[in-house]
Amino acid sequence: MAAPKPFDKPFSPEEIQRILHHLQQPAVFFNMTRGWPVLRWTAEHLSGCLGDKLVRFRLGRKKETNTPLFETQCVYVEAALERFLSWCRDPAGADEGPFAGYPKSEYWAYADYKYIAAVFQDQPAMFEDVKWSDFGFEGRNGRESTLWIGTAGANTPCHLDSYGYNLVLQVQGRKRWHLFPPGDTASLYPTRIPYEESSVFSQVDVLQPDLGRFPAFQRAGPHTVTLQPGQVLFVPRHWWHYVESLDPITVSVNSWIELEVDDVTRVSEAVTRAVVCALKRAPGDDNGDEWLNPTEEGATSHNENMEYVNLSVQAAARRWRGLRPDGLTRGLRDPRQVKRDSRGQIRTDVVGDAVPFVVPFGPHLAPVHRQAETTGATADDQEISSGSAPGAGQRYGSEGSWEGGDGPPNATITTNDLLDCLAHPDVVTRVTQLLMERHTGNPRRTATPS
């Protein structure tokens, strides 16, 4: 057998594509990014590349409140990466400059969701440092990716992404991912406030849940993994995730991979936008909250929203006719019948003759397992290739549960309470089905929401 060539990959691009087609759970790829120049993108290296260019950082308080820290509740500063690194090196925090008044003992910082195409618009050669073509996406590089730079404790609230699936490369430091399957949606109490197109947030602090308010969270089944430099995490479509930085400085690069079913999902997002904007823009005593996520440019008018609804329905009409009856809610990427094992994993793909395919889990690909309900694992126990227990001091609702049915009723139903029902993913999915049936004249069997 010939000696392996430098930077040989365990899977070819074609093999990766077939694996991604069959994966139905989060998984981590190893040894697929050897030789990628992006692995040099430490915060220090990026600081040298960007010089005095300002980057926007989100700052959050390091405190436990049993509620998610949404982006609307954070502080924002703009600073060059060198200023950020100086703040990271100073235990007391900066005495001057943009980080003054935000001691590191009390705050974490996150430059998140930065499109590489915008960050390096004057240095397009940097795009080529990211090689998603090795995963079978010919021509996809850093131009279609985003950059994330944070400090220990930096996090994103638990949410699901409406469109596509996610590939995440860890470059510097470690991040812990807490993932929940789409079937846990009801247990995660979804909300569209704060509103951001393509993001459905959970009202639950998944590390320190308030089980008095959210008792059903005890039924959620978290999958956890600590992602380390060089590893790539696959996040399937509509899997919830909460992400936290573990090390003093972390750098990640991700790319959302579009799917055909996204055409129909855009209808759902258009419906959601129309409903949320209509209710939140209306004068009201309880409408003074910061309901629009900072990632949104502004609230759109009702006419604009209805135009968006009409355009998305027209664009989705052809896709709708080709979907299986349950394709809208399940988001299947292939309408062919497939067989699954006891875990729900697809095992056999029928193409002409029955050709068995088993996802090649092993030294180069590991599934992210569901969290055991009771364990004494520490944070160090998560330094492994796949899911393990939450670190010491973390829990997922196994302790201190509220013993009283569905929780105490609110005295008054607020606009946001109403929106949590009207813009619930299951409700919006059904409205989308009705709109598509009316527009296409093609009634379909109602699918059970997943």
Side-chain angles (χ1 to χ4, degrees):
M1 181 180 294
K5 298 176 183 179
F7 307 134
D8 270 356
K9 302 299 193 296
F11 306 111
S12 69
E14 295 75 20
E15 289 171 327
I16 289 279
Q17 283 292 299
R18 196 173 190 196
I19 291 169
L20 293 175
H21 178 81
H22 287 81
L23 273 173
Q24 302 293 300
Q25 66 185 99
V28 178
F29 289 89
F30 309 97
N31 307 313
M32 280 300 302
T33 60
R34 290 177 297 181
W36 286 22
V38 69
L39 293 180
R40 300 194 301 261
W41 285 20
T42 62
E44 293 78 6
H45 176 78
L46 293 172
S47 175
C49 295
L50 292 173
D52 294 331
K53 184 169 185 176
L54 297 181
V55 177
R56 193 184 195 207
F57 289 86
R58 174 165 60 96
L59 275 64
R61 278 191 175 274
K62 298 177 179 178
K63 61 178 182 179
E64 295 181 358
T65 62
N66 297 108
T67 58
L69 182 63
F70 292 121
E71 294 170 58
T72 51
Q73 301 163 309
C74 291
V75 177
Y76 293 83
V77 302
E78 291 192 345
L81 277 182
E82 180 53 41
R83 286 277 198 174
F84 165 73
L85 291 171
S86 297
W87 181 71
C88 291
R89 298 185 194 108
D90 184 354
D95 292 328
E96 58 182 19
F99 290 97
Y102 303 107
K104 276 190 59 190
S105 60
E106 297 180 26
Y107 289 87
W108 47 257
Y110 210 5
D112 52 359
Y113 214 110
K114 302 294 183 264
Y115 277 96
I116 292 175
V119 173
F120 296 111
Q121 58 184 338
D122 300 326
Q123 305 174 63
M126 296 283 286
F127 303 157
E128 301 305 320
D129 288 359
V130 185
K131 307 288 186 181
W132 294 118
S133 55
D134 283 353
F135 279 73
F137 301 102
E138 189 63 34
R140 185 180 289 260
N141 55 25
R143 185 184 296 274
E144 297 85 14
S145 304
T146 53
L147 178 68
W148 310 68
I149 305 171
T151 63
N155 63 81
T156 53
C158 186
H159 68 284
L160 68 79
D161 300 310
S162 302
Y163 303 130
Y165 61 86
N166 198 357
L167 291 174
V168 187
L169 166 64
Q170 192 63 27
V171 175
Q172 179 180 5
R174 300 165 302 147
K175 280 185 175 178
R176 182 178 291 127
W177 286 70
H178 308 255
L179 303 116
F180 301 83
D184 282 351
T185 293
S187 299
L188 287 161
Y189 297 86
T191 183
R192 296 309 298 257
I193 302 296
Y195 174 75
E196 175 184 86
E197 182 180 356
S198 82
S199 294
V200 183
F201 291 102
S202 169
Q203 299 179 62
V204 183
D205 178 346
V206 299
L207 298 188
Q208 299 291 335
D210 182 346
L211 296 175
R213 292 183 62 203
F214 309 114
F217 182 68
Q218 294 175 97
R219 296 194 290 271
H223 298 233
T224 64
V225 64
T226 297
L227 201 63
Q228 305 193 45
Q231 298 176 355
V232 173
L233 173 65
F234 164 70
V235 182
R237 182 176 186 265
H238 286 182
W239 273 67
W240 295 82
H241 46 283
Y242 170 85
V243 190
E244 55 179 334
S245 295
L246 300 181
D247 289 323
I249 297 178
T250 63
V251 177
S252 306
V253 171
N254 85 294
S255 192
W256 286 281
I257 309 299
E258 58 278 358
L259 294 168
E260 291 183 352
V261 75
D262 289 346
D263 287 345
V264 178
T265 302
R266 289 186 184 92
V267 178
S268 295
E269 286 299 297
V271 169
T272 299
R273 178 188 288 271
V275 171
V276 172
C277 287
L279 285 183
K280 293 304 291 182
R281 286 168 61 97
D285 293 340
D286 64 352
N287 261 351
D289 56 331
E290 294 289 336
W291 63 274
L292 200 63
N293 219 42
T295 52
E296 293 293 308
E297 294 182 358
T300 44
S301 69
H302 185 65
N303 285 340
E304 290 174 308
N305 292 334
M306 289 309 300
E307 181 180 9
Y308 185 23
V309 169
N310 279 278
L311 289 174
S312 61
V313 168
Q314 293 166 18
R318 290 187 298 275
R319 189 73 62 202
W320 171 260
R321 294 185 181 98
L323 280 175
R324 283 173 53 186
D326 62 349
L328 176 61
T329 51
R330 290 193 168 288
L332 296 178
R333 281 173 254 163
D334 191 333
R336 293 171 294 186
Q337 294 294 324
V338 293
K339 296 181 180 179
R340 302 172 186 267
D341 63 17
S342 59
R343 297 175 301 165
Q345 184 70 37
I346 292 179
R347 296 191 60 201
T348 303
D349 188 10
V350 180
V351 183
D353 294 332
V355 178
F357 180 83
V358 178
V359 175
F361 292 130
H364 305 296
L365 176 64
V368 179
H369 293 295
R370 178 170 175 161
Q371 170 61 52
E373 291 184 3
T374 305
T375 180
T378 66
D380 288 340
D381 293 323
Q382 296 203 21
E383 303 293 330
I384 56 177
S385 61
S386 61
S388 178
Q394 300 178 25
R395 58 188 174 86
Y396 290 106
S398 59
E399 302 171 9
S401 59
W402 188 78
E403 303 278 346
D406 294 330
N410 293 324
T412 303
I413 296 174
T414 66
T415 301
N416 288 353
D417 292 332
L418 182 59
L419 275 172
D420 286 344
C421 297
L422 292 177
H424 189 284
D426 292 348
V427 174
V428 173
T429 292
R430 181 59 183 137
V431 172
T432 300
Q433 289 176 315
L434 292 171
L435 279 176
M436 296 305 300
E437 289 172 4
R438 172 171 296 200
H439 180 79
T440 63
N442 183 18
R444 309 183 69 84
R445 177 177 59 82
T446 301
T448 302
S450 59

